[in-house]
Amino acid sequence: MDQTELLKSLHGRTQEAVAHYWQTRTAQRRKQQETGKADQGLRSAVTGGAQMDGFIDLFAELITQAGIPLVCIFRKRAVELPGFFRPTKEWDLLVVRDRTLVAAIEAKSQVGPSFGNNFNNRTEEAMGSALDLWTAFRERAYLDSPQPFLGYFFMLEDCEASNRPVGVHQPHFKVFPEFIGASYMRRYELFCRKLVLERHYTASAFITSSAGDGLDGNYKIPSNDLSVERFARTLVAHVSACA
């Protein structure tokens, strides 16, 4: 499948990745329950890994169709990059060609019922990773690499808890108005958008999916500026210039 055809089929490929996510998550939880090694709460769906593989597969195919050899794409192994504030950081997908860092992508997700602490952990993790990478880039940790593509992809469970308005505490100073009464879904949308607006990431995508409909690959895009298509086209444009 060439690049044009792959982009045309992007919606269908995303549906496949969404279905893979929920199917893998369900299978992992069932296996852990059967073996009596289930983690606390729904953590079993997080520690099992592999849920986001469908999305990583899609990004890898987009990159190869843009002219980057498969041997230059790293996932699951050799995914460490030097950091500035820590020795190394593992990324979900790396593209390194001729000792040049072309792209680094994070693909994360969150399911309920607890969104509060996990939201803070996810946002702090994403911001810290970006700061670490760009500071290391400034210090030439990646040799003479031109500015790489840095991507952040996020999928959130669409459920009652993620759509419910959340209160904020303001004991000393007022929070920014966009956060007043914002649900966790809205907070993640704002977060993903601001990552790009503040140039911490080159592109970001944000989709939502429910546990029931997701098994059939159904998903939603809360905002067009954070669509999978925009993310994919930005990624393809960048890596094509390095092919």
Side-chain angles (χ1 to χ4, degrees), residues 5 13 69 74 79 85 129 137-138 157 167 178 186 238:
E5 290 302 314
R13 294 297 301 276
F74 300 89
V79 291
F85 298 96
S129 295
F137 173 76
R138 182 197 69 196
E157 181 182 11
E178 60 265 34
R186 175 63 174 163
H238 183 95

Side-chain angles (χ1 to χ4, degrees), residues 17 20-21 24-25 28 45-55 75-76:
H20 174 84
Y21 174 89
T24 303
R25 178 176 180 273
Q28 288 173 344
V46 177
T47 57
Q51 298 94 337
M52 302 300 286
D53 279 358
F55 299 106
R75 47 182 299 185
K76 298 186 183 298

Side-chain angles (χ1 to χ4, degrees), residues 180-220:
I180 302 298
S183 64
Y184 283 110
M185 184 177 294
R186 175 63 174 163
R187 288 185 180 190
Y188 270 116
E189 178 187 336
L190 290 168
F191 175 66
C192 288
R193 179 175 297 115
K194 289 182 177 184
L195 286 178
V196 179
L197 288 176
E198 295 302 315
R199 301 183 180 181
H200 296 301
Y201 286 80
T202 314
S204 180
F206 174 52
I207 68 173
T208 66
S209 179
S210 67
D213 291 345
L215 287 169
D216 295 322
N218 293 322
Y219 69 96
K220 296 178 182 177

